[in-house]
Amino acid sequence: MPKRVDHTLRRLQIAEALWRIAASRGLEEVSMRQVAAEAGVSTRLVQYYFETRDRLLIEALSLRNEHDRKRIEGQLPEGASLQDAIRVMLLGLLPLDAESRQSTLIQLAYGIRAVNDPLLAEHVTDHAKPGLEELVADMLAGAQAAGQLHEGLDLVREAGTLLALSSGMSYDVLMGIRTADDAVALVDYNLQRVFRPVSA
């Protein structure tokens, strides 16, 4: 009886190999042959699943974004408040452990590559801040409706500010310019600036 192949798992195995290369060496010189070697499969198999290098890069990014979404959602405690949910999201964008560090390195590698690659740039920006800003702004709007925010806030600008804060600190944490504890403290400080204190 022929061995049954899990195609979803095989595609993920190849994507994970590209993620490791992106995090350790960047994407400028990456090839399908290198990805195949990293994944322990043949180049022909990589071509079978992804056809071209561009498609491999784009689909691996999509898989990583979905992976990160599930990672961050999995950190949300049951019944979390809107403030806690936003905090989890902001901290999830920071390189605070091995997995989120890899995610940050992958995003940086894609960003560098996308500067001179219009096709990749289109997909990188599709999964970047605009969608997240909308989500955070919507969550802030829910908190505002519940009377949980300070008065006079521009929610769209606040959402952009909070996300820019996390994104901007990622490089600092990676380079050791700022400690993880410092980054977490700055996130908490800015959330306290936006949210009213919780009544005892």
Side-chain angles (χ1 to χ4, degrees), residues 11 25 42 48 50 61 68 71 73 77 79 117 130 138 144 146 150 153 158 167 181 185 189 191 194 197:
R11 287 170 61 83
R25 306 199 296 271
S42 69
Y48 171 77
F50 295 97
L61 175 62
D68 287 338
R71 170 178 62 83
E73 285 180 355
D117 186 333
D138 286 347
Q144 186 182 58
H150 291 293
L153 297 176
E158 292 296 345
S167 297
D181 287 344
Y189 173 83
L191 285 174
V194 172

Side-chain angles (χ1 to χ4, degrees), residues 52-64:
T52 67
R53 179 173 176 271
D54 283 343
R55 185 170 170 188
L56 170 61
L57 290 172
I58 290 165
E59 293 193 24
L61 175 62
S62 180
L63 287 168
R64 185 66 197 203

Side-chain angles (χ1 to χ4, degrees), residues 74-179:
Q75 295 169 355
L76 273 173
E78 190 174 344
S81 67
L82 286 168
Q83 182 173 351
D84 286 342
I86 293 172
R87 183 179 189 270
V88 166
M89 185 182 302
L90 296 175
L91 295 185
L93 299 174
L94 291 169
L96 302 180
D97 56 27
E99 190 172 11
S100 57
R101 177 184 172 84
Q102 185 190 53
S103 290
T104 301
L105 289 168
I106 291 167
Q107 295 297 335
L108 286 172
Y110 268 93
I112 291 167
R113 173 76 188 175
V115 168
N116 296 308
D117 186 333
L119 176 63
L120 190 59
E122 180 181 337
H123 290 273
V124 168
T125 53
D126 276 351
H127 294 91
K129 296 181 187 60
L132 282 177
E133 284 186 14
E134 259 183 52
L135 175 59
V136 173
D138 286 347
M139 294 167 79
L140 289 175
Q144 186 182 58
Q148 297 171 1
L149 303 187
H150 291 293
E151 299 290 337
L153 297 176
D154 182 324
L155 302 189
V156 173
R157 288 182 184 273
E158 292 296 345
T161 299
L162 290 170
L163 287 167
L165 173 73
S166 284
S167 297
M169 288 194 297
S170 293
Y171 178 82
D172 288 356
V173 175
L174 279 177
M175 297 301 295
I177 298 167
R178 191 183 301 278
T179 68

